[in-house]
């Protein structure tokens, strides 16, 4: 029986290799944080789709904490999310690094500064991003660490909403610099750097650690991670 089991495993591995040699096929579930779409990710996914036309990409955008949990549970195959360290139960690679910045109306008292620290925001209304986003976690952690009570304004679910609400004077917004550079500048607004000691984040690409190396998810994970190194 043990010999038969070994032969079955060998035959399965050969079938996987044949699939790779002939072109990958199957469904791949991917989730990413919404701000990752303002960088290189859309082009990287398009490149993967062109190389593997037999792979159907099922794609969604969630907050980073939700992506991590769903990847750990096996509900999605590949996650692209922000985290300060590799989450338990996942294999990860750094996809890219990102700075978050303060988006403010032109002429605001904080405009033109070399950088802004958390204490400088104590008297400002800050627009809230969806719960579970890494930017929201950064701000809450810095507020607790420095004993600063941050004034929370309206919750917004997209960059467009953050731009509109900031422009209308409802609060300031913390956004990735790549979002500003790829979609801005926005009329009437400008950006100011935040303290570089805590404003730099990492986007990780990750899969469940139990994924077989011959699986579709693992192969595409390696491809995506390799593209991030380019």
């Amino acid at each position: 029986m043990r010999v038969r089991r070994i032969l079955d495993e060998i035959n399965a591995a050969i079938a996987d290799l044949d699939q790779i040699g002939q072109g990958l096929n199957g469904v791949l579930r991917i989730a990413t944080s919404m701000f990752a779409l303002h960088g290189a990710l859309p082009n990287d996914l398009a490149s993967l789709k062109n190389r593997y036309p037999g792979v159907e990409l099922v794609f969604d955008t969630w907050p980073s904490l939700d992506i991590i949990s769903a990847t750990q549970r096996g509900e999605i195959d590949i996650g692209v999310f922000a985290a300060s360290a590799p989450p338990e139960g996942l294999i990860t690679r750094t996809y890219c690094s990102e700075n978050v910045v303060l988006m403010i109306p032109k002429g605001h008292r904080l405009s033109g500064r070399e950088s802004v620290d958390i204490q400088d925001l104590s008297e400002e209304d800050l627009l809230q991003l969806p719960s579970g986003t890494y930017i929201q976690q950064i701000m809450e952690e810095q507020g607790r660490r420095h004993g600063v009570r941050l004034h929370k304004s309206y919750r917004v679910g997209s960059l467009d909403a953050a731009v509109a609400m900031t422009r209308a004077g409802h609060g300031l917004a913390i956004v990735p610099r790549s979002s500003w550079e790829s979609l801005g500048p926005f009329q009437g607004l400008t950006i100011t750097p935040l303290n570089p000691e805590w404003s730099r984040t990492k986007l990780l690409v990750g899969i469940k650690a139990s994924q077989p190396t011959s699986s579709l998810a693992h192969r595409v994970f390696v491809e995506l991670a390799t593209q991030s190194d380019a």
Side-chain angles (χ1 to χ4, degrees):
M1 293 295 294
R2 187 170 184 273
V3 173
R4 169 54 58 189
R5 186 167 63 252
I6 292 173
L7 287 174
D8 289 342
E9 291 173 356
I10 291 173
N11 287 331
I14 291 172
D16 287 335
L17 289 173
D18 286 343
Q19 183 187 45
I20 291 173
Q22 296 168 5
L24 294 180
N25 293 280
V27 177
L28 193 67
R29 301 163 299 174
I30 298 179
T32 177
S33 62
M34 63 178 178
F35 289 126
L37 298 179
H38 300 154
L41 184 60
N43 288 335
D44 287 346
L45 292 176
S47 178
L48 286 171
K49 185 63 178 174
N50 289 335
R51 279 206 298 278
Y52 305 116
V55 175
E56 178 186 354
L57 297 181
V58 178
F59 185 82
D60 210 341
T61 56
W62 297 336
S64 287
L65 286 181
D66 293 345
I67 296 171
I68 292 169
S69 297
T71 308
Q72 290 169 329
R73 295 192 299 266
E75 295 172 3
I76 60 173
D77 300 306
I78 298 177
V80 181
F81 50 85
S84 58
E88 183 178 357
L90 301 183
I91 300 172
T92 64
R93 292 274 298 274
T94 298
Y95 181 69
C96 68
S97 296
E98 175 72 278
N99 285 316
V100 295
V101 296
L102 182 67
M103 185 170 67
I104 57 180
K106 288 182 177 179
H108 189 276
R109 69 179 186 89
L110 296 177
S111 63
R113 291 198 180 189
E114 185 175 338
S115 69
V116 169
D117 216 330
I118 195 74
Q119 294 88 345
D120 300 316
L121 301 175
S122 61
E123 298 180 4
E124 302 293 339
D125 291 329
L126 296 177
L127 295 171
Q128 297 182 73
L129 295 171
S131 179
T133 58
Y134 194 63
I135 291 177
Q136 197 72 17
Q137 295 175 60
I138 289 175
M139 300 309 296
E140 291 174 355
E141 178 185 345
Q142 290 301 315
R144 288 192 299 268
R145 180 175 297 180
H146 296 281
V148 176
R149 184 178 180 275
L150 298 174
H151 298 274
K152 298 177 181 178
S153 181
Y154 298 101
R155 188 178 298 279
V156 295
S158 67
L159 181 64
D160 288 345
V163 168
M165 296 297 274
T166 303
R167 186 182 287 145
H170 293 293
L172 311 183
I174 312 296
V175 300
R177 179 179 286 275
S178 64
S179 299
W180 176 271
E181 291 177 346
S182 63
L183 300 177
F186 301 103
Q187 184 178 5
L189 301 179
T190 187
I191 58 171
T192 296
L194 294 167
N195 187 335
E197 292 183 2
W198 53 264
S199 64
R200 190 158 184 81
T201 65
K202 281 185 178 181
L203 276 181
L204 305 180
V205 54
I207 60 171
K208 195 172 183 180
S210 59
Q211 282 277 8
T213 56
S214 59
S215 67
L216 170 62
H218 195 281
R219 175 66 182 269
V220 175
F221 161 74
V222 171
E223 292 268 354
L224 194 57
T226 300
Q227 288 187 36
S228 72
D229 292 336

